[in-house]
Amino acid sequence: MSVSGPQADTPTEVESPTTDQGSQIRGMSPRQLAVSRFRRDTGSMIAGGVVLLFMLLAVLAPILTKMKILRPYTFNSDKLDVNNGSVPKGALGGISWSHPFGLTPGTGTDVMSRLIMGMTFSISIALLAALLTVALGTVIGIIAGSSGKWVDAIIGRIIDMTLSFPQTLMLLALSSTLIYQLERLGVPKGNFARATYLILVLAAFGWPSFARIVRGQVLSLREREFVEAAHVFGASQARIWFKEMLPNLWAPILVYFTLTMPAYISAEAALSFLGVGVKPPTPTLGNILSDATTYYDSDFAYFIIPAFVLATVVVSFNLLGDGLRDALDPKADR
Amino acid sequence: MFAYVVRRLLIGIAMLIVMTLITFVLFLNNKEAAVLASCGKNCTPAQKVEIAKTFGYDQPVVVQWGKFLKGVVVGREFPDDPALRKSSPQLVTQCPPPCLGYSYKSAALVRDVMKDTIPVSVSVASVAFVIWLVLGVLLGIIAALNRGTWVDKIIVGSTLVIFAFPTFFIGLLLYIFIALKFGWVPIPAYISIADGGIFNWFMGLLLPAITLVVFYMAGYVRMTRAFVLETSTEDYIRTAKAKGLPARTVIGKHTFRAALTPIVTMAGMDLALVLGGAPITESVFNFNGLGKLAVEASTQYDLPINIGIVVLLSAFVILANIVVDIAYAFIDPRVSVK
Amino acid sequence: MTKYRKSLAVVAAAALSVTGLAACGGGGATGGGTKTLYYLTFRPTEHWDPQRMYIGRDLADSSRLFYRSLVSFPVSEDVTESTTPIPDLATDTGTSSNNGKTWKFTLKDGVKWEDGKAVTCEDVKYGVSRTFASDVIIGGPNYIFSYIDAPDYKGPYNADAKGQAEYDKAVVCDGTTITFNFSKPWNDFPLAVASLRSFDPYRKDKDQGDKSNYAIFSNGPYKLKSAWTKDKGGTFIKNDQWDPKTDTVRKQNVDQIIFQEGLTNEIITQRLIQDRGNDQYAVTDRNIPPAMYGQITGDVAKRSTQVDSPFTGYLVPNFNRMTDLRVRQALMMATDQKGWTTALGGDKSAKPSSSIVNPGVQGYAKNPAFDKMGDFAGAKQLLKQAGKAGYPLIFTYSSSPTADKAAAALKEGWQKAGFKVSLNPLTDTYYTEVQKRNLKSDVAWGGWGADWPSVSTVIPPLFDARVNFQGTKSNGQDYGNYNDPKAHKLMDEASAAALADQPALYAALDKYIGEQVAYIPLDVTQFYMMHGSKVTGYMQTAASNMYPDLGSIGVE
């Protein structure tokens, strides 16, 4: 199964003939229209609110940890039952007022603190990878769409090839050798190199889908008057790319970015399960969840809680992305 | 048409060749690790040199790649070191074409190691594919026809929520509750049709298949729904409706026909991906498929197997691409083939 | 011997039995009167080639079932008895002369291979020679290199005349008598013969190098029924050419033994708890996962056993970087053994240890150098005295979900003493990395089990820089780059001494390197395993590296 890339984007050789994304409604400016449409969409507004809340928590978590309000690294070995595989003493994985989500078996760290701190790391990784994906996709897509036949064809083949690699397997199999190479290049050892690897490879396999979308947009923009006008007035190629084309691409960029985030958060979890990614004690949503999977029997609360937190994050990002898409481009629903 | 197919196949082969080169460069950039993985823990520097020679790791990556390609076309012999083959013919393993390499860790040809795993992956994939395709498209149409109602919201909402849980979690949940605690299905295990008949084969792989269905279906529901909605506002559908054609005919004949193109694209690509094994699902359910083999080869640093799998799966996807494009020409008259 | 490593895909949940499905016609022991024992396991056997094996479990199982050695360990629950070799292929336990440099064994008559041909002296000589083919026979122990002086010998596959002559001089066959002429004394050679499979006979006409990796050509009570499949396993049936009159070690307790590989610890444990169908006749070498300890109660607990494994976990400070003894001492004092064992799963997974030597090894003694472990305040003070408060410490270890937690526990403790700790978890590059002499790491984890039950296979292989340092880059297994002439002198004295005097000398050696903080002991790994209800004669013995002893186990 694929672990990255918004799953709605399937590689296709032929441009889908039914999506004409060039159309825009006149009258109000497109931006005003979009904002007003989004405001009317209660579901997406709520999702947006939840996403903001998560982002805020993610930003604040390191500060809260410094202030010792969150204690993701503090051991409570005394609250564990050493005769019973070191699962927390007490019902429901040691849930109490001071540990609302219980304790981690083996270490006794506070699960809630770890999940919030885990959000910081998971969201940071997904954010950087998504930014890189969108940036690469945009630049390459613009170049492909507005250059000559040859450049376009070569980029097209590179895109095809990148998408033809079995992603999950590549991410897994390459992890040890490429992390090693990163460390040789001076990336700090350990989790920093691992996170860097995740970000780089997620983007490396993620950009082609978006480059295709951008290329399609650019192809249709190219025929539009203002671009032709710029050509006539002798604007440089770079100017046309980045001053004329780019501002017209912000809608797909925003939508794609918002939908890539949850895909990468899920990907981080899936890869953690396969043993690739950031290692404890640094928490990520993925490594907490994959640790939790062994405790389905002896600590059911710990098994279930991280999964629900992760799902909530992913769902709210997805809803927000859908809402943005509906608002920005009501006709193209995918 | 024939010329188009030939051209596409040629381009596909060229792509595959480039991809194998990239694979070799990526996987063999760390020679030392490759050697050490085979060498065990108390390995002297002299031993490392000898092993590198036996396995051929001492040569430049491009040369190793060339030998691999040659092996695919005309076959080759292992161990790689010609002097050793000559002095001790009893050690030689013949690898007839198409040779995908020899795994020293499994003491077997890569092709033979993969051979047993393919039926497992293909079985799970094909059952899952049929379920998710039928169910996904059906639910998508139902949702579209009931746009805005609670039916629509439940369908769209639940697929979104279930999709948000990681595959391994869903798989485990199914495993623990459906199979273990409630005992509604037998414990998942792969039983070939020859061994247990079609019923046991199907029941054995039901849960892994459902896990894959959950992962893949959401996309189909959403896409079918979107395209049915979109095309229903197009002129020709409106005309059809205005003509007084019954709703079923309109949806069945016109709307669905238009939505078919992107669904075929997506289905073709997804099928190619999932046929190549589902590493996470197969690991969770302990199915000895291509995906689990890939996970194990990665953990054990079994490079020849990793490379073999990457090449095979890439070929799958490239082929699927071509098939999808050709299928296009039949489904959608607007796409013309040069 | 190599550690078992936990799989990344340990998940796989409960899952009871695949039985009824997998084994149609099954019926366990009762069906048709065929007594079948099942061996459920996870980790695929890497080699069945005697000269390539180096995993404790495989060494033990193959010795009990199909590979006979010159001398072997008897089946016994008594530690001393089960670690004292008795004659097997040879008529006695060997005679040494020339101060332990020459060893002579005479083969018994009537011992046959599975095709009925006699096991000859030439077979033994050929088997031993295979280890020298280090480009083909990869992965096995190579102690022999330091005892046999044959620098030009490249093994039987591409030997030149000069190398062959060197080998022929060192290992001599005279009728049924084989003589080993070593270049230095090897007083515990019979222990090595009984523990490893390196000195087992091999039939030249059956040798196909790497292709023979999973081929088994038996001279013991069982033989392979059909080809072994990696990741699945194989079936062993009675070998009719085996004559019990020639063998005082082994028995044919059951009619067949079926090995099933690739089952996770969770699945195995769940199946054995359920105890249904064929699983009643099953044993395993896999531990009960800590998350399932809660289910081991009542009658189920009666079918579980907990013993000390031959493995110990330890830490080694990097002597290239941690040059100040006080800093190493502070590190040792601040090492939280209890946090470590708790994170590994508690008392049933790991017990705190007080030496790198496992209690099961002859000559084990508690090392007084580590009495002060767990004194965090004292460690903090010592670090301050050394002027190294805030010392940045990089900890390198082999990562697994539990190891990650356990490493976090050590980090906690060290930080209490004022170290600034960063973790460096490694997966498949672990061995590559820790063997680098210039590794940017201050302390590394190591796991070890004695190759044979003597301190001589614990401390020298891990701390003798003279054998470990290879070239300029590798430290072999001396991960801490510990290179101390005084320790070398103590090692030489101990190994040259008579067997009876060795324990005291090794204890002194252990104490000395402990005072230098060449290592910090962590835990004695526990074996906590289940077996089926219809298994008889169940025991885990030192002779079988504390795994289930297939020399004793039968079924109802």
Side-chain angles (χ1 to χ4, degrees):
Chain A
M1 75 212 71
S2 140
V3 293
S4 81
Q7 55 92 43
D9 282 290
T10 311
T12 76
E13 270 283 13
V14 180
E15 294 301 315
S16 163
T18 37
T19 32
D20 166 26
Q21 310 199 333
S23 66
Q24 305 239 319
I25 300 154
R26 310 285 162 192
M28 274 203 271
S29 85
R31 192 177 307 224
Q32 288 166 321
L33 257 179
V35 170
S36 85
R37 258 196 307 258
F38 188 77
R39 287 233 173 102
R40 268 179 284 142
D41 184 353
T42 351
S44 305
M45 284 293 282
I46 295 172
V50 176
V51 166
L52 271 183
L53 180 75
F54 282 139
M55 295 292 252
L56 196 70
L57 276 176
V59 171
L60 288 179
I63 303 163
L64 293 175
T65 304
K66 270 257 155 66
M67 292 163 64
K68 307 241 158 124
I69 295 170
L70 293 180
R71 293 163 171 274
Y73 306 114
T74 308
F75 278 48
N76 292 292
S77 304
D78 52 317
K79 291 179 183 160
L80 304 175
D81 184 354
V82 283
N83 290 316
N84 189 16
S86 302
V87 296
K89 292 173 190 161
L92 290 174
I95 287 181
S96 65
W97 281 112
S98 45
H99 304 291
F101 285 179
L103 299 165
T104 310
T107 56
T109 45
D110 179 49
V111 174
M112 191 181 79
S113 303
R114 287 186 68 76
L115 284 170
I116 295 175
M117 199 64 202
M119 254 183 248
T120 308
F121 289 109
S122 288
I123 290 179
S124 308
I125 289 171
L127 188 80
L128 290 171
L131 282 174
L132 195 56
T133 304
V134 169
L136 275 173
T138 308
V139 172
I140 298 176
I142 290 179
I143 294 173
S146 50
S147 302
K149 203 177 154 204
W150 273 107
V151 176
D152 189 19
I154 290 169
I155 292 176
R157 291 294 160 223
I158 294 174
I159 290 176
D160 288 346
M161 282 197 279
T162 316
L163 289 172
S164 300
F165 276 115
Q167 277 187 33
T168 316
L169 170 57
M170 296 293 273
L171 294 182
L172 175 67
L174 290 175
S175 63
S176 58
T177 144
L178 289 191
I179 288 169
Y180 172 83
Q181 297 294 10
L182 280 175
E183 287 172 349
R184 277 218 321 204
L185 290 172
V187 177
K189 261 190 193 318
N191 277 335
F192 199 88
R194 292 169 166 276
T196 313
Y197 169 77
L198 273 189
I199 293 166
L200 291 181
V201 289
L202 284 174
F205 286 105
W207 66 266
S209 315
F210 188 56
R212 256 194 196 150
I213 295 174
V214 172
R215 176 181 167 273
Q217 296 268 320
V218 170
L219 283 180
S220 72
L221 279 175
R222 206 158 66 161
E223 311 304 322
R224 298 268 292 279
E225 303 84 0
F226 64 96
V227 177
E228 280 179 10
H231 265 298
V232 171
F233 287 116
S236 74
Q237 191 63 27
R239 193 191 150 80
I240 291 173
W241 284 351
F242 296 103
K243 288 274 172 175
E244 308 292 340
M245 301 275 193
L246 199 56
N248 285 286
L249 292 170
W250 68 272
I253 289 177
L254 187 62
V255 170
Y256 197 84
F257 175 78
T258 319
L259 289 173
T260 305
M261 283 289 292
Y264 284 175
I265 291 172
S266 300
E268 188 275 328
L271 288 169
S272 269
F273 175 79
L274 292 173
V276 181
V278 175
K279 301 273 178 190
T282 308
T284 68
L285 292 178
N287 71 27
I288 297 171
L289 182 52
S290 55
D291 177 47
T293 50
T294 39
Y295 294 94
Y296 59 86
D297 202 82
S298 57
D299 190 350
F300 195 69
Y302 181 56
F303 174 64
I304 213 90
I305 289 170
F308 273 85
V309 171
L310 178 81
T312 314
V313 175
V314 172
V315 166
S316 43
F317 267 104
N318 271 329
L319 283 175
L320 175 67
D322 288 350
L324 283 176
R325 178 164 52 195
D326 291 346
L328 289 167
D329 194 358
K331 204 154 171 274
D333 198 22
R334 58 173 298 249
Chain B
M1 185 72 196
F2 179 73
Y4 172 76
V5 173
V6 170
R7 195 172 63 101
R8 285 303 313 270
L9 280 175
L10 286 179
I11 294 174
I13 291 169
M15 270 171 63
L16 194 59
I17 291 173
V18 177
M19 286 172 71
T20 53
L21 176 62
I22 296 170
T23 310
F24 266 79
V25 171
L26 284 173
F27 278 90
L28 292 168
N29 60 42
N30 188 353
K31 272 180 210 174
E32 201 190 343
V35 171
L36 254 163
S38 321
C39 194
K41 58 172 191 171
N42 45 4
C43 193
T44 62
Q47 245 174 317
K48 282 182 208 164
V49 173
E50 279 167 14
I51 289 169
K53 205 166 136 205
T54 312
F55 292 5
Y57 289 141
D58 58 335
Q59 290 156 30
V61 172
V62 179
V63 174
Q64 295 185 48
W65 171 67
K67 285 188 177 169
F68 177 85
L69 286 188
K70 196 178 154 213
V72 173
V73 182
V74 299
R76 64 190 283 204
E77 288 181 341
F78 293 93
D80 193 67
D81 180 13
L84 187 62
R85 286 206 303 270
K86 199 162 167 239
S87 69
S88 309
Q90 77 269 30
L91 304 181
V92 174
T93 306
Q94 295 292 339
C95 184
C99 175
L100 293 176
Y102 177 83
S103 160
Y104 292 89
K105 292 221 156 176
S106 311
L109 297 179
V110 170
R111 192 181 46 206
D112 293 343
V113 176
M114 289 200 292
K115 203 175 59 195
D116 294 344
T117 66
I118 289 174
V120 180
S121 292
V122 169
S123 297
V124 178
S126 47
V127 168
F129 179 73
V130 171
I131 299 177
W132 92 57
L133 195 62
V134 172
L135 219 57
V137 170
L138 213 61
L139 288 177
I141 292 175
I142 293 172
L145 293 183
N146 297 288
R147 183 185 197 175
T149 67
W150 59 271
V151 178
D152 182 22
K153 279 179 185 149
I154 286 181
I155 292 176
V156 173
S158 57
T159 50
L160 195 70
V161 169
I162 297 176
F163 178 72
F165 284 93
T167 321
F168 60 88
F169 182 78
I170 297 281
L172 269 175
L173 220 52
L174 289 173
Y175 203 156
I176 295 160
F177 286 97
I178 308 292
L180 287 182
K181 300 246 149 124
F182 305 148
W184 291 345
V185 296
I187 302 302
Y190 177 74
I191 308 146
S192 71
I193 297 180
D195 282 351
I198 244 179
F199 181 76
N200 285 333
W201 168 80
F202 180 78
M203 290 309 280
L205 55 75
L206 191 57
L207 289 190
I210 290 176
T211 310
L212 288 178
V213 168
V214 167
F215 183 78
Y216 281 100
M217 196 180 67
Y220 289 78
V221 173
R222 287 158 59 90
M223 193 162 69
T224 312
R225 178 179 175 275
F227 273 99
V228 171
L229 284 180
E230 191 179 331
T231 45
S232 64
T233 60
E234 298 231 352
D235 296 342
Y236 68 100
I237 304 282
R238 278 195 217 150
T239 314
K241 275 190 194 153
K243 269 200 317 193
L245 286 179
R248 189 183 300 169
T249 320
V250 177
I251 294 161
K253 258 190 144 165
H254 299 281
T255 316
F256 184 63
R257 181 91 199 249
L260 203 57
T261 325
I263 291 172
V264 166
T265 313
M266 192 162 161
M269 301 311 303
D270 281 349
L271 181 64
L273 281 179
V274 80
L275 277 179
I280 293 175
T281 307
E282 286 172 5
S283 299
V284 167
F285 289 96
N286 212 36
F287 267 50
N288 284 316
L290 213 46
K292 188 168 169 245
L293 177 67
V295 175
E296 276 165 8
S298 298
T299 8
Q300 296 167 15
Y301 217 81
D302 196 338
L303 283 179
I305 291 197
N306 267 330
I307 291 172
I309 295 178
V310 168
V311 171
L312 183 76
L313 297 198
S314 309
F316 261 6
V317 175
I318 290 175
L319 195 67
N321 251 315
I322 298 172
V323 172
V324 165
D325 284 354
I326 294 167
Y328 250 170
F330 289 102
I331 302 164
D332 194 334
R334 282 177 295 180
V335 177
S336 65
V337 164
K338 281 168 265 176
Chain C
M1 64 203 69
T2 323
K3 285 279 293 185
Y4 59 86
R5 246 199 296 173
K6 208 176 165 188
S7 142
L8 297 172
V10 255
V11 224
L16 322 101
S17 58
V18 194
T19 47
L21 311 167
C24 353
T30 42
T34 310
K35 283 186 167 189
T36 306
L37 174 70
Y38 292 84
Y39 197 105
L40 311 179
T41 187
F42 174 74
R43 181 187 169 132
T45 294
E46 285 177 357
H47 313 287
W48 278 130
D49 184 324
Q51 274 78 29
R52 295 180 71 177
M53 259 187 243
Y54 210 169
I55 303 282
R57 175 195 74 187
D58 301 338
L59 293 169
D61 290 349
S62 60
S63 168
R64 290 302 189 225
L65 299 182
F66 42 81
Y67 290 150
R68 296 182 61 176
S69 307
L70 294 169
V71 294
S72 291
F73 292 128
V75 176
S76 166
E77 281 191 295
D78 180 78
V79 178
T80 316
E81 197 181 335
S82 75
T83 52
T84 308
I86 58 170
D88 187 2
L89 287 177
T91 52
D92 57 20
T93 53
T95 46
S96 74
S97 56
N98 193 10
N99 199 17
K101 279 168 133 178
T102 303
W103 280 92
K104 243 184 202 154
F105 298 86
T106 304
L107 295 183
K108 283 178 190 161
D109 287 334
V111 183
K112 290 177 195 153
W113 292 101
E114 64 175 75
D115 64 354
K117 289 190 181 158
V119 175
T120 66
C121 177
E122 297 298 333
D123 293 335
V124 180
K125 185 177 171 183
Y126 184 79
V128 175
S129 77
R130 296 173 82 242
T131 302
F132 287 88
S134 55
D135 51 345
V136 178
I137 303 303
I138 301 161
N142 45 22
Y143 286 95
I144 190 84
F145 294 159
S146 46
Y147 291 100
I148 285 185
D149 197 13
D152 299 309
Y153 188 53
K154 295 271 171 271
Y157 308 120
N158 41 9
D160 54 14
K162 189 174 172 221
Q164 190 65 48
E166 285 170 359
Y167 180 69
D168 287 344
K169 227 169 94 188
V171 183
V172 184
C173 267
D174 179 15
T176 55
T177 303
I178 187 161
T179 310
F180 296 90
N181 298 308
F182 298 132
S183 54
K184 58 179 186 182
W186 196 349
N187 285 318
D188 52 8
F189 179 58
L191 284 173
V193 174
S195 300
L196 306 175
R197 303 279 71 78
S198 308
F199 307 96
D200 285 5
Y202 203 98
R203 268 272 288 278
K204 191 177 179 182
D205 58 324
K206 299 286 170 191
D207 190 1
Q208 293 189 298
D210 187 65
K211 275 191 284 179
S212 306
N213 193 30
Y214 290 114
I216 293 170
F217 198 64
S218 169
N219 52 26
Y222 294 92
K223 63 179 179 183
L224 203 51
K225 189 177 174 191
S226 54
W228 180 271
T229 327
K230 192 187 169 213
D231 295 323
K232 280 190 192 146
T235 300
F236 294 95
I237 53 171
K238 284 183 175 174
N239 173 12
D240 55 10
Q241 294 296 324
W242 173 77
D243 182 357
K245 276 180 280 186
T246 66
D247 196 335
T248 52
V249 179
R250 299 165 191 79
K251 293 193 197 81
Q252 278 178 336
N253 289 329
V254 295
D255 298 306
Q256 59 175 356
I257 301 164
I258 298 178
F259 277 70
Q260 294 178 357
E261 289 184 340
L263 304 165
T264 60
N265 293 13
E266 282 81 359
I267 291 176
I268 292 171
T269 306
Q270 198 71 42
R271 281 170 61 164
L272 290 173
I273 289 173
Q274 301 278 347
D275 198 37
R276 287 188 200 147
N278 293 342
D279 293 335
Q280 296 170 63
Y281 308 93
V283 295
T284 183
D285 66 314
R286 302 301 295 182
N287 279 318
I288 301 165
M292 295 172 86
Y293 289 174
Q295 297 180 53
I296 315 297
T297 52
D299 283 343
V300 173
K302 287 180 193 156
R303 292 186 288 112
S304 71
T305 44
Q306 184 188 353
V307 295
D308 281 356
S309 83
F311 301 105
T312 50
Y314 61 94
L315 299 170
V316 280
N318 183 348
F319 274 66
N320 288 347
R321 291 163 63 92
M322 300 189 82
T323 43
D324 188 334
L325 176 63
R326 284 173 300 179
V327 177
R328 296 199 300 270
Q329 278 169 337
L331 181 76
M332 178 265 287
M333 285 159 74
T335 298
D336 184 0
Q337 272 190 335
K338 182 150 185 298
W340 169 266
T341 53
T342 301
L344 289 180
D347 296 344
K348 286 166 183 155
S349 300
K351 281 184 177 164
S353 63
S354 55
S355 166
I356 196 166
V357 180
N358 187 287
V361 171
Q362 289 171 15
Y364 160 82
K366 189 174 175 301
N367 191 330
F370 301 111
D371 287 347
K372 275 198 245 165
M373 284 181 76
D375 179 3
F376 302 103
K380 191 167 189 172
Q381 215 181 350
L382 195 61
L383 197 62
K384 227 184 218 158
Q385 276 173 20
K388 296 279 173 62
Y391 186 97
L393 188 82
I394 303 174
F395 174 37
T396 302
Y397 66 97
S398 171
S399 172
S400 76
T402 33
D404 292 335
K405 286 185 184 178
L410 293 184
K411 183 178 174 176
E412 275 286 298
W414 290 331
Q415 280 177 336
K416 276 190 216 164
F419 288 96
K420 229 176 139 259
V421 186
S422 49
L423 299 176
N424 181 25
L426 299 173
T427 47
D428 43 6
T429 51
Y430 166 72
Y431 284 115
T432 333
E433 288 287 290
V434 291
Q435 294 190 340
K436 285 190 181 143
R437 271 204 250 165
N438 60 356
L439 184 67
K440 210 177 146 227
S441 163
D442 301 280
V443 57
W445 170 88
W448 189 251
D451 281 340
W452 57 85
S454 155
V455 185
S456 67
T457 65
V458 182
I459 294 177
L462 297 181
F463 299 102
D464 188 344
R466 294 168 301 174
V467 296
N468 277 305
F469 282 15
Q470 299 147 352
T472 51
K473 287 183 183 154
S474 171
N475 60 26
Q477 293 172 108
D478 184 2
Y479 304 151
N481 305 300
Y482 177 62
N483 187 2
D484 182 343
K486 186 164 177 213
H488 295 162
K489 198 172 143 256
L490 290 172
M491 286 176 207
D492 292 344
E493 283 169 16
S495 76
L499 273 188
D501 300 332
Q502 286 189 1
L505 289 168
Y506 277 122
L509 168 65
D510 188 17
K511 183 161 177 285
Y512 172 73
I513 66 170
E515 281 160 359
Q516 298 297 312
V517 201
Y519 73 90
I520 301 166
L522 285 175
D523 65 288
V524 180
T525 311
Q526 297 297 296
F527 277 170
Y528 183 36
M529 293 164 183
M530 294 277 307
H531 58 268
S533 61
K534 299 209 169 148
V535 170
T536 57
Y538 185 85
M539 54 172 85
Q540 287 166 251
T541 64
S544 55
N545 294 317
M546 300 318 287
Y547 291 106
D549 193 329
L550 295 180
S552 161
I553 292 170
V555 296
E556 277 175 22

